[in-house]
Amino acid sequence: MTKKMIKMAIVGAGLWGEAHASIYREHDWAEPAAICDLNLERARAFAEKFGIREVYGDYREMLEKCGCDAVAIVTPDFLHADIAVACAEAGKHMIIEKPLATTRGDVMRMLEAIEGHGVRAMVDLHNRWNPPFNTVKQLVASGKYGTPRSAHFRLNDNLWVATDMLKWCAKSSILWFLGSHSLDTMNWVIGDYPVEVYAAKTEGKLKSLGIDTVDTYLSTIKYSQGAVAHMENSWVTPNGNPNVNDFKFNLLCTEGKFDINASSHDLLQVTDQERMITQDILVKNFVFDKCRGFAYESIRSFIDRLSCGEEFHVTLREAANVSLALLAIMESAETGLPVKVERI
């Protein structure tokens, strides 16, 4: 199979932009060709670190002048749409950090632009590459364990993610940050799509710290073929929690069940005089200075599939439907009523 070298431009010179640059620099069929960030000083430092020749402060100028093949959109979630539409109009393929978008209008115009201009796009819903979840998907698909009937997905973050790591979480939601992974994974593993949601929320902890966003969402999700699921997403887990994620999944089928504890995996725990930490060796770790966690495999897969023309493991419409379902959950939590889920 013929492969093509992919010249990648990156919009967003933050920590996850560095992950993209590391993988493109490692990959046999990619190279980081340009970096764009509103903070030019940060962009220049990024370029020097990764040996990138072209530096821009405006993505429109970058799209006009840079001879890239594809763009990694690694900005806060509410800023994806304008960049993605501009990339599509410029004929550039793209990988977009999750979620696709945070409003219905943005979802629809991104979809129209990407499909209308014939470019390829993948949203980085990387939990599909998470080994225990990928294994459960294979087992469910085998048919040996019957039909999925009920599930519970718990994916919460320690408080410091909202207070210290993210400077923009007041403009976003835990549903966009973690719920997008949770819902996409359940849809994919169950092999079905949501038709109705009913949700509740809690508020107060983050607002007391000056961060105007919801603490927790608890959602009930009904699927088209009869399965029902609970989904819990929060970013107010105490900072003493030994893992940044409180991450558990249970799935009951007619002929079997599956239980995943991805937070206290007991593979490596590090203890000092203050606390015990469950060291990350699965999500985004390095082995001999190479990116080896599953969160890196999705980005690597984007290049693999783009370079040879194969379909991405996450389709654009799957990602669009995740955003629409999350919007329905937010509406339900606001109104206190069940909400039908729009589907493209």
Side-chain angles (χ1 to χ4, degrees):
M1 183 178 293
T2 303
K3 290 190 175 184
K4 175 188 175 184
M5 180 64 71
I6 307 296
K7 294 178 65 177
M8 290 295 307
I10 302 167
V11 181
L15 286 176
W16 205 239
E18 292 195 2
H20 279 261
S22 296
I23 292 163
Y24 304 145
R25 187 171 59 175
E26 289 178 13
H27 204 289
D28 290 339
W29 296 98
E31 64 171 303
I35 178 65
C36 177
D37 196 279
L38 290 173
N39 185 329
L40 271 174
E41 183 178 349
R42 182 167 66 177
R44 291 188 185 103
F46 186 107
E48 183 176 355
K49 180 175 181 178
F50 293 99
I52 297 173
R53 295 183 301 277
E54 299 183 43
V55 179
Y56 299 92
D58 187 302
Y59 66 86
R60 298 174 187 84
E61 181 186 4
M62 182 193 75
L63 292 171
E64 180 182 346
K65 295 180 179 179
C66 175
C68 64
D69 301 297
V71 178
I73 300 175
V74 200
T75 65
D77 46 34
F78 52 89
L79 297 176
H80 292 170
D82 288 344
I83 303 169
V85 170
C87 287
E89 291 172 346
K92 308 298 183 183
H93 307 297
M94 64 198 88
I95 179 170
I96 306 165
E97 280 305 320
K98 53 78 194 169
L100 176 67
T102 60
T103 70
R104 183 186 184 278
D106 282 350
V107 168
M108 295 306 180
R109 68 191 181 98
M110 291 169 76
L111 206 63
E112 181 180 5
I114 292 167
E115 294 182 343
H117 287 87
V119 297
R120 302 184 63 196
M122 184 186 113
V123 176
D124 188 15
L125 291 161
H126 58 230
N127 202 53
R128 295 191 185 198
W129 282 260
N130 190 338
F133 288 92
N134 195 284
T135 299
V136 170
K137 169 64 177 177
Q138 295 174 53
L139 293 171
V140 171
S142 75
K144 177 181 177 180
Y145 301 92
T147 304
R149 293 290 84 192
S150 65
H152 184 94
F153 203 116
R154 181 177 188 173
L155 180 52
N156 302 329
D157 261 347
N158 286 1
L159 181 64
W160 64 262
V161 174
T163 58
D164 298 334
M165 189 179 92
L166 300 179
K167 305 303 180 185
W168 43 266
C169 70
K171 297 181 180 180
S172 184
S173 164
I174 189 60
L175 282 177
W176 298 126
F177 194 65
L178 292 184
S180 54
H181 285 309
S182 307
L183 185 58
D184 175 71
T185 304
M186 281 204 298
N187 294 351
W188 179 62
V189 169
I190 292 171
D192 198 5
Y193 58 89
V195 293
E196 186 177 67
V197 296
Y198 178 64
K201 63 181 179 178
T202 67
E203 300 176 281
K205 175 64 175 180
L206 289 171
K207 289 185 177 180
S208 74
L209 298 172
I211 303 169
D212 188 14
T213 192
V214 172
D215 293 343
T216 303
Y217 283 94
L218 188 61
S219 312
T220 299
I221 302 159
K222 294 182 180 180
Y223 283 87
S224 74
Q225 297 177 24
V228 64
H230 276 156
M231 187 173 82
E232 176 186 339
N233 300 114
S234 171
W235 46 22
V236 294
T237 302
N239 288 333
N241 197 52
N243 192 308
V244 63
N245 299 130
D246 182 7
F247 194 2
K248 299 175 179 68
F249 176 69
N250 312 97
L251 176 65
L252 177 65
C253 299
T254 54
E255 305 299 330
K257 66 188 289 285
F258 307 93
D259 299 282
I260 294 174
N261 184 345
S263 46
S264 300
H265 49 64
D266 291 332
L267 290 171
L268 175 60
Q269 293 177 327
V270 180
T271 305
D272 61 18
Q273 298 296 339
E274 297 181 355
R275 60 184 291 210
M276 181 176 69
I277 296 172
T278 300
Q279 187 74 21
D280 175 21
I281 59 171
L282 296 174
V283 183
K284 49 185 179 65
N285 60 304
F286 283 74
V287 177
F288 296 121
D289 299 321
K290 300 290 186 181
C291 300
R292 288 296 177 263
F294 74 78
Y296 298 134
E297 292 307 314
S298 55
I299 302 171
R300 190 173 284 116
S301 175
F302 169 78
I303 295 295
D304 290 340
R305 297 260 159 169
L306 184 61
S307 65
C308 67
E310 294 182 358
E311 184 178 355
F312 297 131
H313 287 298
V314 181
T315 70
L316 179 62
R317 291 201 166 210
E318 285 176 321
N321 284 325
V322 166
S323 285
L324 294 178
L326 292 177
L327 287 167
I329 288 172
M330 291 180 185
E331 180 183 345
S332 177
E334 195 65 34
T335 63
L337 300 172
V339 174
K340 299 293 184 183
V341 177
E342 181 181 5
R343 180 171 172 80
I344 296 170

